[in-house]
């Protein structure tokens, strides 16, 4: 698991270890670039996610975090390079993995909280007769049972985010991608959300999330990637990266972040 | 002199008498009036249902799909908004006339012909308004639906359901146009007493007989019907809006604003 | 209905089915359904329909024969076009040359005189062109032209319009001036316009008597033989259009020119005045 500097030649792609494959799904980026309007949003990113639990993606605004997450999910196709997922059955494309994604600004349906989950259950192929009970179970897990029949778009920011996460998890994903799941939430809401994410990771779901919250990285992540101006500048165990930044840019980023 | 004539002959008496006529028409339970009102509703509501069955899927298609000729479809659709009812009536007449291509159906001067003409008139309105709405909704939900790996068909249906409140407005606008137009139904219906006479053609007839008070009275009744239908639609829409968590009756897409 | 279709999220299939059924029911049900095939379509003029004559005649015919008569009332020119397209079973109008051409061209079985009335010139009470004092329609029209008084013309190729044009020609008057305005609409609408702008107008007497928005208008010229207005009736021939109900149509025509029909026409009055004068069988 190494990050490759932009100017270095990409190393031979790493193969997942047997133990990683056995644990679940993971992904690899081979010299991936995404260009929009003549500007490289991602510039030759190469890395290997481990199969281990939770990967955090950190970096300043505009560094390409959202784009990288969308690449992993398959929402965005690379202009160069490729994104490969691999699991027990070998390599596949992003669309070959059962994924769920929590967007930075989730768009909830104009229905009740429960109906939003029933909708997701239907997408997941759950038989009609089981959808309501499954929705009720997830509302309970998300601490939203009392709001089941409330219009989803009338919920508070934290409640909406939890509902959106429940909606993602009801798909029974093999991989869960979260774009700044904690942004704008108060500590209690953050804690509730992180509990759901940790549960998912513990049950074997591969989790990748972006964040500006270093505390959140420490609490949730096993490994971390540092993106800066479209370049993947550091990768490693989360604790190592935070405690002993291998590159100056990360140190500066962490310093600025901590100063806030 | 002219003003004097206008005042004396045209304005004062009919205006004063019109409401009296309207009340008298309704109070006496004039069977002929109810027949005419019933036919108006039957024809125009049928036209709106057909316009919805054609216009809404079309609007959804051009809102979510990109295909060659899409721009042309939108341009034609918007151009058809300004189509004079008389032109539609003429085209339908020439088509349904015994001398026309569909003459053998024998539909000229029947309510069915009127439904056909009004459907042609109303479909572009329903489609154009629905298209604008659905495009906004699609912009809001496109990524979310992509995360759910939904097919085009599922996206189209879900957008139609999500936008149902705004689409009801599109249908109400279509109904307003249909029930108020006289040019098309006059030509293809023939204003036959007891067969194809509707509110607007009856008003035109009474105007040409110089019975302006009765004509205006019928106009007042027509206005009352339109108001009632809109009021009912508005009230139900309000109920549904609260159910869906919209702010008031505002049904434009709103981002989950409190999150960020 | 709108919200019926859209308010509920569940039970989609049921709703869709209901919507389709509603559409089908709305489109096909209603007045058209109970009429059956025993009806004929009569293309006629606004003057006969607006005067109330058909309301007076048709119930009697329908009661006697069980044949429903559907009247499409338009200008004579448009009525003839409808019939030439095969969209009517009977033509009942008032422009003899066009009617004879219609039969000669093979569209009609035979033309019959039914009734007549006459045209009149109407104008405001103060009569700015002094038409009321003139003798005969030629002089009346010349008085209007000389005074450049506003005149509202149908301008719609109807029987009345055709007659008006020929009367101007016969009177030797140039009608290019701005004082003669073509409304391009029916008799009633033209009268409304005339009354609104203080213009003279020519109308058939039946429409005038039944017209409710006269204001201070009155007849300023009448009685000239040139103002005679003959109505004719023709069953459309099924030789040209196979679907035409020629037998039922002829039944209606025969009834109109029968003593019974003629008596009913003579008996129709508005405000105590007889509107149409039956003259079937005779040349008047």
């Amino acid at each position: 698991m190494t990050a490759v500097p932009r100017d270095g030649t990409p190393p031979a792609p790493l193969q997942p270890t047997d133990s990683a494959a056995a644990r679940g799904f993971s992904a690899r980026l081979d010299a991936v670039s995404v260009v929009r309007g003549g500007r490289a949003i991602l510039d030759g990113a190469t890395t290997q996610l481990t199969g281990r639990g939770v990967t955090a993606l950190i970096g300043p605004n505009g560094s390409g975090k959202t784009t990288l997450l969308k690449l992993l999910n398959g929402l965005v196709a690379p202009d160069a390079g490729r994104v490969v997922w691999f699991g027990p059955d070998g390599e596949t494309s992003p669309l070959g993995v059962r994924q769920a994604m929590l967007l930075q600004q989730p768009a909830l349906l104009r229905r009740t909280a429960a109906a939003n989950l029933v909708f997701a259950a239907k997408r997941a192929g759950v038989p009609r007769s089981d959808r309501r009970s499954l929705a009720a179970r997830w509302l309970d897990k998300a601490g939203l049972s009392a709001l089941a029949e409330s219009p989803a778009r009338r919920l508070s920011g934290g409640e909406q985010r939890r509902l959106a996460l429940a909606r993602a998890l009801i798909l029974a994903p093999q991989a869960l991608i979260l774009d700044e799941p904690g942004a704008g939430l108060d500590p209690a809401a953050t804690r509730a959300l992180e509990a759901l994410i940790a549960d998912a990771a513990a049950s074997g779901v591969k989790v990748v999330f972006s964040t500006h919250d270093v505390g959140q990285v420490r609490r949730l992540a096993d490994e971390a990637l540092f993106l800066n101006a479209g370049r993947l500048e550091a990768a490693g165990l989360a604790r190592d990266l935070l405690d002993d930044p291998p590159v100056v840019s990360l140190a500066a980023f962490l310093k600025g972040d901590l100063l806030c | 002199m002219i003003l004097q004539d206008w005042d004396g002959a045209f304005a004062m008496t009919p205006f004063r008498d019109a409401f009296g006529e309207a009340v008298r028409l309704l109070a006496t339970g004039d069977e002929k009036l109810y027949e005419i009102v019933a036919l108006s509703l039957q024809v125009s509501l049928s036209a709106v249902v057909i316009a919805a069955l054609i216009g809404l899927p079309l609007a959804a298609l051009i809102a979510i799909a990109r295909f060659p000729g899409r721009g042309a479809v939108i341009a034609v659709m918007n151009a058809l908004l300004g189509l004079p009812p008389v032109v539609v009536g003429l085209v339908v007449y020439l088509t349904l006339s015994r001398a026309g291509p569909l003459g053998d159906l024998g539909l000229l001067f029947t309510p069915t012909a009127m439904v056909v003409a009004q459907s042609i008139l109303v479909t572009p309105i329903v489609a154009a308004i629905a298209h604008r709405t659905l495009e906004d909704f699609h912009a809001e939900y496109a990524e979310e639906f992509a995360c759910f790996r939904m097919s085009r068909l599922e996206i189209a249906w879900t957008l139609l359901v999500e936008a149902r409140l705004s689409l009801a407005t599109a249908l109400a606008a279509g109904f307003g146009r249909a029930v108020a137009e006289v040019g098309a139904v006059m030509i293809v219906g023939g204003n036959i007493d007891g067969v194809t006479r509707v509110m607007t053609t009856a008003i035109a007839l009474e105007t040409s007989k110089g019975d302006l008070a009765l004509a205006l009275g019928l106009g007042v009744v027509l206005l009352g019907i339109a108001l009632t239908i809109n009021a009912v639609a508005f009230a139900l829409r309000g109920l549904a809006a609260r159910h869906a968590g919209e702010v008031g009756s505002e049904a434009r897409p709103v981002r989950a604003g409190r999150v960020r | 209905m709108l919200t019926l279709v859209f308010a509920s999220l569940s039970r989609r299939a049921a709703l869709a089915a209901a919507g389709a059924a509603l559409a089908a029911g709305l489109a096909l049900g209603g007045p058209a359904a109970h009429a059956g095939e025993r009806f004929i379509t009569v293309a006629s003029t606004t003057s006969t329909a607006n005067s109330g004559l058909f309301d007076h005649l048709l119930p009697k015919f329908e009661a006697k024969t069980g044949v429903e008569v559907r009247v499409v009332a338009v200008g004579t020119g448009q009525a003839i076009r409808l019939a030439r397209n095969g969209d009517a079973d009977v033509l009942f109008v008032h422009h003899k040359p066009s009617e004879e051409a219609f039969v000669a061209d093979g569209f009609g079985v035979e033309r019959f005189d039914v009734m007549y009335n006459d045209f009149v010139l109407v104008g405001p009470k103060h009569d700015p062109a002094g038409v009321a004092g003139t003798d005969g329609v030629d002089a009346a029209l010349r008085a209007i032209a000389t005074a450049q008084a506003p005149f509202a013309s149908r301008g719609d190729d109807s029987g009345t319009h055709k007659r008006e044009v020929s009367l101007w020609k016969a009177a030797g008057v140039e009608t290019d001036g701005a004082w003669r305005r073509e409304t391009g609409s029916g008799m009633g609408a033209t009268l409304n316009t005339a009354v609104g702008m203080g213009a003279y107008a020519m109308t058939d007497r039946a429409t005038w008597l039944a017209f409710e928005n006269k204001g201070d208008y009155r007849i300023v010229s009448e009685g000239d033989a040139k103002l005679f207005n003959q109505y004719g009736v023709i069953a459309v021939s099924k030789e040209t259009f196979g679907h035409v109900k020629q037998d039922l149509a002829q039944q209606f025509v025969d009834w109109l020119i029968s003593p019974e029909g003629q008596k009913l026409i003579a008996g129709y009055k508005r405000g105590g005045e007889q509107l149409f004068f039956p003259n079937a069988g005779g040349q008047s």
Side-chain angles (χ1 to χ4, degrees):
Chain A
M1 192 185 76
T2 49
V4 176
R6 179 180 59 98
D7 48 354
T9 44
L14 296 173
Q15 292 304 315
T17 61
D18 288 345
S19 62
R23 286 181 59 93
F25 287 79
S26 194
R28 187 179 74 227
L29 277 71
D30 289 345
V32 170
S33 292
V34 174
V35 180
R36 290 288 179 272
R39 195 172 72 93
I41 295 173
L42 272 182
D43 191 359
T46 296
T47 191
Q48 167 77 57
L49 305 187
T50 67
R52 265 178 299 164
V54 181
T55 303
L57 189 54
I58 55 176
N61 291 328
S63 57
K65 298 191 296 295
T66 296
T67 303
L68 196 148
L69 293 176
K70 286 180 180 173
L71 276 167
L72 288 171
N73 183 272
L75 285 180
V76 168
D79 293 308
R82 66 190 195 121
V83 178
V84 180
W85 279 83
F86 45 86
D89 299 328
E91 289 193 354
T92 177
S93 74
L95 298 179
V97 180
R98 201 163 67 241
Q99 298 209 36
M101 180 154 183
L102 180 64
L103 296 169
Q104 212 169 45
Q105 294 177 20
L108 294 167
L109 298 175
R110 289 159 168 76
R111 308 176 187 185
T112 64
N116 267 275
L117 297 189
V118 168
F119 175 84
K122 186 184 176 192
R123 295 269 85 74
V126 176
R128 178 183 286 268
S129 55
D130 298 342
R131 287 175 203 159
R132 287 210 72 87
S133 58
L134 185 65
R137 207 154 60 241
W138 275 102
L139 281 168
D140 185 44
K141 280 192 200 180
L144 297 170
S145 290
L147 298 168
E149 294 311 314
S150 300
R153 299 165 78 90
R154 289 276 172 86
L155 303 181
S156 74
E159 290 158 352
Q160 288 201 21
R161 200 66 73 87
R162 287 212 300 284
L163 182 62
L165 181 56
R167 192 177 65 171
L169 289 169
I170 215 168
L171 299 173
Q174 294 158 329
L176 176 64
I177 313 279
L178 309 118
D179 197 355
E180 302 197 20
L185 301 187
D186 64 29
T190 306
R191 202 156 49 240
L193 198 75
E194 287 179 2
L196 286 171
I197 297 171
D199 278 358
S203 68
V205 179
K206 173 65 193 171
V207 176
V208 184
F209 74 99
S210 65
T211 184
H212 289 293
D213 179 352
V214 174
Q216 192 165 50
V217 179
R218 288 190 191 278
R219 290 192 296 275
L220 286 177
D222 301 298
E223 61 178 345
L225 306 176
F226 175 62
L227 263 178
N228 190 24
R231 272 165 266 144
L232 205 46
E233 295 193 340
L237 288 175
R239 195 181 314 136
D240 295 351
L241 236 56
L242 296 182
D243 291 344
D244 185 17
V247 289
V248 178
S249 54
L250 176 56
F253 173 74
L254 291 171
K255 198 170 154 209
D257 195 52
L258 290 172
L259 282 173
C260 286
Chain B
M1 190 275 289
I2 287 174
L3 267 183
Q4 205 178 16
D5 275 1
W6 179 268
D7 232 29
F10 250 92
M12 298 312 285
T13 317
F15 268 131
R16 200 180 54 234
D17 295 347
F19 290 92
E21 282 288 349
V23 170
R24 187 189 63 77
L25 284 169
L26 292 172
T28 57
D30 188 297
E31 197 183 320
K32 208 141 209 175
L33 174 73
Y34 287 129
E35 224 175 70
I36 290 173
V37 169
L39 184 63
S40 286
L41 292 177
Q42 178 193 326
V43 167
S44 295
L45 288 176
S46 301
V48 170
V49 169
I50 291 169
L53 292 177
I54 299 168
L56 295 183
L58 176 69
L61 174 75
I62 53 183
I64 65 178
R66 297 291 176 269
F67 51 91
R70 176 178 170 275
V73 170
I74 294 173
V76 167
M77 189 176 72
N78 284 316
L80 289 180
L81 284 179
L83 207 57
V86 175
V87 173
V88 174
L90 214 50
V91 170
V92 174
Y93 167 72
L94 291 173
T95 309
L96 296 183
S97 166
R98 290 291 182 173
L102 297 181
D104 290 343
L105 298 176
L107 288 178
L108 193 66
F109 303 141
T110 66
T112 307
M114 299 157 82
V115 171
V116 170
Q118 289 197 342
S119 301
I120 294 172
L121 205 58
V122 170
T123 300
I125 295 176
V126 171
I129 299 179
H131 168 232
R132 276 169 217 158
T133 302
L134 291 174
E135 211 156 58
D136 286 349
F137 273 74
H138 186 239
E140 183 187 1
Y141 283 116
E143 243 176 14
E144 205 73 76
F145 291 163
C147 292
F148 278 112
R149 311 286 194 240
M150 284 160 66
S151 69
R152 286 246 174 92
L153 202 62
E154 290 169 327
I155 291 173
W157 173 254
T158 308
L159 283 178
L160 287 171
V161 173
E162 286 308 295
R164 61 199 176 277
L165 301 177
S166 305
L167 297 183
T169 311
L171 296 187
F175 174 76
R177 167 110 156 145
V179 82
E181 75 86 21
V182 58
V185 285
M186 183 67 99
I187 294 176
V188 304
N191 191 27
I192 298 170
D193 189 16
V195 182
T196 56
R197 184 162 298 165
V198 290
M199 296 292 294
T200 51
T201 59
I203 290 170
L205 177 65
E206 293 309 327
T207 305
S208 75
K209 286 185 187 173
D211 197 341
L212 303 191
L214 181 55
L216 264 181
L218 286 166
V220 171
V221 174
L222 179 60
L223 186 66
I225 292 168
L227 272 176
T228 307
I229 286 188
N230 272 292
V232 169
F234 190 79
L236 288 173
R237 204 187 114 154
L239 276 177
R242 277 199 290 287
H243 182 70
E246 296 292 351
V247 180
S249 61
E250 179 58 53
R252 307 285 300 170
V254 190
R255 282 273 178 187
R258 277 168 295 178
V259 175
R260 299 260 40 176
Chain C
M1 198 284 300
L2 307 179
T3 17
L4 244 185
V5 178
F6 283 93
S8 170
L9 294 178
S10 53
R11 300 182 298 281
R12 281 169 197 164
L15 270 176
L22 183 66
L26 285 171
L28 301 176
H34 64 68
E37 276 304 293
R38 296 274 294 171
F39 73 87
I40 53 172
T41 304
V42 177
S44 189
T45 70
T46 47
S47 55
T48 42
N50 289 10
S51 65
L53 176 67
F54 282 128
D55 298 333
H56 175 70
L57 292 180
L58 299 185
K60 310 266 193 333
F61 177 73
E62 287 170 4
K64 185 184 165 89
T65 62
V67 177
E68 187 194 350
V69 180
R70 299 180 175 181
V71 178
V72 178
V74 289
T76 291
Q78 200 188 335
I80 290 172
R81 275 194 294 278
L82 283 179
R84 279 180 181 265
N85 283 342
D87 294 325
D89 304 302
V90 175
L91 185 62
F92 189 161
V93 292
H94 62 142
H95 190 249
K96 200 166 174 178
S98 312
E99 294 161 34
E100 284 170 343
F102 183 79
V103 175
D105 291 348
F107 291 102
V109 180
E110 187 182 353
R111 180 190 173 280
F112 296 93
D113 283 336
V114 185
M115 62 190 191
Y116 67 91
N117 66 355
D118 61 344
F119 293 108
V120 295
L121 290 182
V122 297
K125 192 176 167 197
H126 63 280
D127 194 9
V131 178
T134 59
D135 185 23
V137 70
D138 286 358
L141 292 177
R142 277 196 292 268
I144 293 169
T146 306
Q148 303 271 294
F151 184 95
S153 165
R154 293 277 292 273
D156 65 347
D157 196 30
S158 61
T160 306
H161 178 237
K162 286 174 179 168
R163 177 66 68 90
E164 181 214 316
V165 169
S166 67
L167 286 173
W168 285 114
K169 199 175 281 177
V173 172
E174 274 300 316
T175 55
D176 290 345
W179 52 275
R180 181 173 170 278
R181 298 168 192 176
E182 298 200 340
T183 65
S185 43
M187 194 68 255
T190 301
L191 285 174
N192 279 329
T193 307
V195 171
M197 67 185 193
Y200 292 94
M202 188 179 101
T203 170
D204 65 281
R205 190 183 293 269
T207 301
W208 176 249
L209 289 175
F211 188 65
E212 306 258 7
N213 185 35
K214 292 192 179 84
D216 71 345
Y217 267 51
R218 60 193 177 104
I219 294 174
V220 293
S221 177
E222 61 183 323
D224 194 314
K226 287 178 177 169
L227 292 170
F228 179 75
N229 180 25
Q230 176 69 48
Y231 286 85
V233 65
I234 305 167
V236 178
S237 166
K238 68 177 172 193
E239 308 262 314
T240 310
F241 298 104
H243 65 273
V244 165
K245 298 161 189 162
Q246 186 185 319
D247 296 344
L248 296 181
Q250 195 61 50
Q251 200 179 343
F252 180 60
V253 171
D254 290 345
W255 180 79
L256 279 175
I257 60 177
S258 73
E260 185 190 351
Q262 294 280 294
K263 200 172 151 219
L264 278 168
I265 291 171
Y268 181 56
K269 293 189 165 83
R270 286 288 286 257
E273 276 197 70
Q274 184 174 342
L275 269 61
F276 298 99
F277 299 86
N279 67 341
Q283 291 296 331
S284 304

